[in-house]
């Protein structure tokens, strides 16, 4: 049936075996884009809830430290990138445009990592975002009502970094990721037990 095929394609896409290109069709992934060849993708299963929860734990560690460093090291141009990304999230939310919101969210988190001036953290944040997007492919995107709260949380992170307050930046990042994870858990519970 169509539903079974659609679900199979989502899983194959989430694990990196196929690539769906709008208006063009499905393509078997090349070696470079297969999730199994990324640093953590070889064991990350986007349909395994424990893996999703562990991914958020990992994000919390790396992004909290990245925001702490960014508060000490961010240049004015990097602050502008972070601020613009937060605004893109807000505009995407207001317009009901999930793609714009996600673009801003990705740019925000990578912008903070970039402002840390630690290329290992940038790489780790980028990789974790890719893995989270893989989980989103199977239907865990646009979750709950956290998007509106995320806008305020991003702003708190940005302000702490701009003000050069490492502790406040780390705390705001921790709160943001904990609330995002809580939203994921709530949505998963709703889907499983509804």
């Amino acid at each position: 049936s169509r539903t079974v095929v659609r679900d199979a394609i989502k899983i194959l896409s989430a694990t990196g075996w196929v690539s769906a290109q709008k208006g063009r069709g499905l393509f078997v992934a090349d070696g470079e884009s297969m999730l199994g060849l990324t640093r953590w993708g070889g064991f990350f299963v986007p349909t395994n809830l424990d893996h999703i929860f562990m991914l958020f734990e990992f994000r919390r560690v790396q992004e909290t430290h990245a925001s702490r460093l960014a508060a000490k090291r961010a240049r004015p141009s990097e602050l502008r990138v972070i601020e613009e990304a937060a605004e893109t999230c807000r505009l995407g939310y207001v317009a009901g445009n999930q793609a714009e919101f996600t673009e801003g969210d990705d740019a925000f988190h990578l912008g903070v990592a970039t402002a840390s001036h630690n290329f290992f953290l940038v790489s780790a944040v980028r990789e974790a975002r890719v893995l989270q997007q893989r989980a989103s492919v199977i239907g865990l995107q646009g979750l709950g009502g956290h998007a509106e709260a995320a806008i305020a949380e991003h702003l708190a992170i940005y302000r702490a970094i701009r003000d050069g307050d490492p502790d406040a930046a780390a705390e705001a990042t921790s709160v943001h990721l904990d609330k995002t994870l809580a939203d994921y858990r709530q949505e998963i519970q709703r889907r499983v037990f509804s």
Side-chain angles (χ1 to χ4, degrees):
S1 76
R2 280 186 174 185
T3 304
V4 172
V5 171
R6 190 176 298 121
D7 288 346
I9 290 170
K10 282 183 180 181
I11 290 170
L12 289 170
S13 181
T15 55
W17 289 100
V18 299
S19 171
Q21 297 178 12
K22 192 171 186 165
R24 295 189 60 213
L26 288 172
F27 298 87
V28 175
D30 60 12
E32 291 300 309
S33 63
M34 286 178 59
L35 184 60
L37 294 180
T38 61
R39 197 170 2 275
W40 300 293
F43 64 84
F44 179 74
V45 179
T47 56
N48 183 321
L49 299 180
D50 288 336
H51 286 196
I52 292 171
F53 298 145
M54 284 187 273
L55 177 62
F56 270 95
E57 289 174 349
F58 180 69
R59 283 189 62 200
R60 190 177 195 272
V61 170
Q62 66 190 6
E63 292 189 45
T64 299
H65 193 64
S67 64
R68 183 181 298 281
L69 291 175
K72 296 175 185 177
R73 300 174 177 173
R75 296 181 182 125
S77 61
E78 293 163 335
L79 290 171
R80 281 192 299 278
V81 167
I82 296 167
E83 183 179 31
E84 289 169 6
E87 179 63 7
T88 300
C89 280
R90 188 189 72 74
L91 293 173
Y93 173 75
V94 168
N97 184 335
Q98 180 67 38
E100 184 177 17
F101 179 87
T102 300
E103 177 186 323
D105 191 48
D106 284 340
F108 179 85
H109 289 276
L110 286 171
V112 170
T114 300
S116 77
H117 294 261
N118 182 314
F119 64 85
F120 291 107
L121 285 171
V122 173
S123 178
V125 168
R126 182 178 293 115
E127 182 76 12
R129 300 289 300 174
V130 167
L131 295 175
Q132 186 172 332
Q133 288 167 2
R134 297 290 184 179
S136 296
V137 166
I138 61 170
L140 293 178
Q141 62 186 18
L143 295 180
H146 188 248
E148 184 174 12
I151 293 164
E153 294 160 11
H154 284 171
L155 192 56
I157 295 165
Y158 163 72
R159 287 179 177 155
I161 292 170
R162 178 199 64 197
D163 295 346
D165 189 339
D167 292 335
E171 178 61 25
T173 300
S174 180
V175 166
H176 172 58
L177 291 172
D178 287 349
K179 287 184 177 181
T180 303
L181 175 56
D183 192 54
Y184 262 74
R185 286 182 187 206
Q186 181 180 4
E187 180 62 15
I188 289 165
Q189 244 183 346
R190 184 189 68 75
R191 291 180 187 202
V192 170
F193 298 111
S194 291

